[in-house]
Amino acid sequence: MQVKWVRLKNFRNYEECFVEFKEGINLISGKNGQGKTNLVEAVMLGALTKSPRTSRDDDMKMENTTHAEAEVCIERKFGEVKIKSIIDNETKKSFYINGNGVKKVSEVFGNLVAVYFSPNDLKIVSGSPSERRDFMDSDISQLSGVYYNLVQRYNKVLDQRNKLLKTVHNKMLLESQIDVWNEQLASLAGQIIKTRKSFIKKLTIPAIETMKYISKDSDNLTISYVGVKGETSEEIKNEILKALKFNLDKDMELGYTTVGPHRDDVRFELNGRDSKIFASQGQQRSIVLALKLAELEVFEKELGEKPVLVLDDVFSELDSVRQKSLYKKFEGVQVLMTGTLFKFKPSDDYLSIVIKNGVAQSKLRTKKSVEDKKEN
Ligand SMILES: Nc1ncnc2c1ncn2[C@@H]1O[C@H](COP(=O)(O)OP(=O)(O)O)[C@@H](O)[C@H]1O
Ligand SMILES: [Mg+2]
């Protein structure tokens, strides 16, 4: 699939902007603070229904305005889809697909599927478990609005259970009331954890292979989901139910629920040791790169077409081996990449988009135009 164009209105530092993209490589360049990340953020809003860099939707609205829009047009195998995201002081956040208002956010997912990679993603390896849970949740949601809904429902039930833990201090009374929440929580947890485990399983082989390639066979990666036992949602549900009962005293004392998908983690081991602690920064960066490349494959398998690849400020930071391993995967993929300076120049035709203070200027670079330039 590919992003054909983006139209912005009061989005970050863009007052009005229309940018067309081409198939293959699109190089988005410009000095710092001009709006490169803002532009790809607008694209990602259509894929994730939220910004990849902030949880505050209002931040995306241009300062001192009340209404912002970001519309993305995507070409799919089956035709064109337009996703319009609106952030408004009155109506908050809303979405339109091909001009029709969307009732549930989950309906937006799956129209634009993109693998996004920014320097911030190093946190997937080096950061707290919540970074890894967010990574799984937001990327699985891209493929499945059903999964997104499960997580929303789980969080609501979790809130209810925590409220009960905070307000009812008599254990017998609590036990008589909490079972109904335990049952719902465990049932949703079973479905969420099963989906996450199978996502991690699908990522594992391509990620391990890419890691081997990047490290010239010296780094062995293993990836595992850290949570309760069980494969089927029923098995996991029963494990969660047991754990909820077992931990009730502790949960009562703390006033919140200490087991479940909201506490789980993913463990990346490099050569048998926890990467979070033992891997160098360069190795951690390679793991994230391997994961993102693995996602390209997994998404393509699930969708039957290639997702879009969005690289914000990462490509030029990678050394030549890593650049090469990425470049190998570009074939047939639309790539939107930002950077201040591109030493790398694609050998095929590409679109150069230069951003200056919220204004975009595009120029198609064909092999011929690049050669002409060299001669002059
Ligand atoms: N809500 C907003 N309203 C207006 N300007 C904004 C808003 N959010 C960010 N900016 C501006 O956008 C610019 C940063 O854009 P960004 O895309 O991150 O830059 P870069 O080109 O370095 O990636 C800064 O000048 C910042 O002041
Ligand atoms: Mg940037």
Side-chain angles (χ1 to χ4, degrees):
M1 70 179 74
Q2 41 166 308
V3 180
K4 297 202 75 172
W5 51 257
V6 182
R7 189 192 303 280
L8 306 177
K9 214 183 264 177
N10 294 339
F11 188 91
R12 298 267 190 193
N13 65 334
Y14 292 90
E15 219 173 275
E16 298 261 349
C17 181
F18 179 78
V19 182
E20 278 180 289
F21 297 101
K22 73 177 271 308
E23 61 184 359
I25 294 175
N26 297 265
L27 291 187
I28 303 163
S29 60
K31 296 204 176 107
N32 280 322
Q34 300 302 307
K36 302 182 295 296
T37 298
N38 296 346
L39 182 64
V40 291
E41 179 184 37
V43 171
M44 289 311 296
L45 177 60
L48 305 171
T49 71
K50 61 181 178 141
S51 162
R53 61 168 163 175
T54 174
S55 53
R56 290 185 305 266
D57 295 326
D58 274 345
D59 288 358
M60 289 183 278
K61 212 159 21 80
M62 178 179 265
E63 276 161 0
N64 306 316
T65 63
T66 57
H67 179 95
E69 293 183 7
E71 187 171 21
V72 206
C73 176
I74 303 115
E75 188 172 282
R76 298 289 304 259
K77 262 193 337 203
F78 51 78
E80 264 184 25
V81 191
K82 294 191 196 79
I83 310 169
K84 190 197 268 189
S85 314
I86 294 178
I87 295 151
D88 187 284
N89 281 9
E90 298 278 311
T91 54
K92 301 292 169 205
K93 186 163 62 173
S94 54
F95 298 92
Y96 290 80
I97 304 281
N98 295 329
N100 301 313
V102 157
K103 289 200 183 68
K104 291 181 92 179
V105 174
S106 57
E107 291 166 30
V108 178
F109 292 107
N111 288 301
L112 167 59
V113 178
V115 174
Y116 176 80
F117 186 11
S118 83
N120 213 13
D121 286 323
L122 203 60
K123 284 197 199 143
I124 296 174
V125 176
S126 65
S128 65
S130 74
E131 303 282 347
R132 288 177 284 284
R133 291 192 296 267
D134 287 350
F135 155 71
M136 288 186 286
D137 288 349
S138 78
D139 282 348
I140 299 171
S141 295
Q142 284 203 62
L143 297 174
S144 161
V146 172
Y147 178 82
Y148 175 86
N149 284 336
L150 282 173
V151 175
Q152 301 297 310
R153 277 162 58 204
Y154 178 85
N155 288 334
K156 277 194 191 132
V157 177
L158 183 65
D159 274 352
Q160 296 294 330
R161 187 179 192 269
N162 288 345
K163 244 179 230 152
L164 208 61
L165 287 168
K166 279 196 188 80
T167 50
V168 181
H169 300 292
N170 176 304
K171 193 169 175 191
M172 264 173 57
L173 186 63
L174 183 69
E175 278 175 326
S176 71
Q177 296 181 14
I178 210 161
D179 268 358
V180 44
W181 297 116
N182 285 359
E183 180 63 30
Q184 286 187 46
L185 202 65
S187 165
L188 292 162
Q191 297 170 73
I192 291 169
I193 296 173
K194 181 194 151 226
T195 312
R196 284 185 183 170
K197 282 184 174 179
S198 102
F199 177 69
I200 293 296
K201 205 168 169 185
K202 284 177 199 156
L203 278 180
T204 299
I205 289 176
I208 290 175
E209 279 170 4
T210 312
M211 193 67 201
K212 277 209 177 112
Y213 172 80
I214 300 173
S215 68
K216 300 203 167 68
D217 269 339
S218 67
D219 283 336
N220 264 310
L221 177 68
T222 58
I223 310 176
S224 46
Y225 187 84
V226 184
V228 295
K229 288 188 301 201
E231 287 299 319
T232 68
S233 39
E234 201 54 34
E235 283 164 6
I236 297 167
K237 177 187 167 180
N238 290 330
E239 289 297 322
I240 291 280
L241 272 177
K242 268 194 270 174
L244 287 172
K245 291 214 166 87
F246 183 81
N247 287 290
L248 187 61
D249 287 334
K250 186 164 123 198
D251 288 2
M252 268 184 88
E253 204 178 304
L254 293 167
Y256 59 84
T257 306
T258 53
V259 287
H262 65 291
R263 307 278 290 188
D264 289 353
D265 198 357
V266 180
R267 189 176 161 94
F268 300 104
E269 278 183 14
L270 209 56
N271 309 319
R273 304 171 97 185
D274 188 353
S275 311
K276 193 179 159 176
I277 303 159
F278 293 103
S280 71
Q281 212 184 12
Q283 285 172 319
Q284 291 184 346
R285 201 198 290 260
S286 295
I287 295 172
V288 180
L289 175 61
L291 267 184
K292 299 286 167 171
L293 294 180
E295 275 194 312
L296 268 185
E297 283 182 39
V298 172
F299 284 0
E300 183 181 355
K301 250 188 213 144
E302 300 281 318
L303 292 164
E305 61 184 308
K306 291 184 192 292
V308 174
L309 180 60
V310 179
L311 303 171
D312 189 19
D313 245 340
V314 286
F315 196 80
S316 48
E317 305 293 318
L318 299 171
D319 61 43
S320 62
V321 179
R322 294 190 185 97
Q323 282 195 358
K324 238 189 231 161
S325 53
L326 248 181
Y327 199 70
K328 249 180 47 177
K329 306 277 176 175
F330 286 176
E331 205 166 309
V333 179
Q334 185 191 38
V335 187
L336 313 182
M337 55 162 112
T338 76
T340 42
L341 191 80
F342 285 104
K343 273 175 269 164
F344 147 89
K345 289 284 184 243
S347 53
D348 305 317
D349 295 358
Y350 66 95
L351 188 66
S352 159
I353 303 166
V354 179
I355 311 284
K356 201 171 166 188
N357 200 13
V359 177
Q361 255 194 343
S362 304
K363 225 176 234 160
L364 185 67
R365 298 286 187 189
T366 58
K367 258 187 216 148
K368 189 170 176 317
S369 74
V370 173
E371 276 159 20
D372 287 351
K373 215 179 161 192
K374 266 190 215 149
E375 276 169 25
N376 292 331

